[in-house]
Amino acid sequence: MMGWYHDGMGWGGWIVMTVAMVAFWALVVFAVLALFRTQRPGGSTPDRRDPMQILDERFARGEIDEDEYHARSSVLRASVH
């Protein structure tokens, strides 16, 4: 029974245990947030394409004809300057 009260972890052990506990709960919170972020309708990142790219894609898919493409393209180019 000798040294009964002196075989504890000491300050270093308490510090490591505290840091480990904070890291564990931070990981749990991060995992929960990541889970809910990916389940949002509409995806997790907004679509940030250039308007000219969208116009080019619509023209390539045949959604708009050549005249409409050129008219909208000139409007977009004029609004940039």
Side-chain angles (χ1 to χ4, degrees), residues 39-57:
Q39 291 181 353
R40 283 191 311 196
S44 61
T45 57
D47 190 15
R48 299 199 186 267
R49 294 183 296 168
D50 183 39
M52 277 304 295
Q53 290 175 335
I54 296 170
L55 186 64
D56 291 340
E57 291 171 6

Side-chain angles (χ1 to χ4, degrees), residues 15-31:
I15 291 171
V16 170
M17 189 171 58
T18 303
V19 169
M21 182 66 77
V22 169
F24 170 76
W25 285 112
L27 183 64
V28 169
V29 168
F30 176 76

Side-chain angles (χ1 to χ4, degrees), residues 55-64:
L55 186 64
D56 291 340
E57 291 171 6
R58 289 187 64 197
F59 181 64
R61 286 192 299 260
E63 294 177 7
I64 57 175

Side-chain angles (χ1 to χ4, degrees), residues 6 8-9 11 13-14 20 22 28 32-33 52 58 60 69:
H6 300 291
M9 289 187 283
W11 285 105
W14 284 104
V22 169
V28 169
V32 169
L33 289 176
M52 277 304 295
R58 289 187 64 197
Y69 173 79

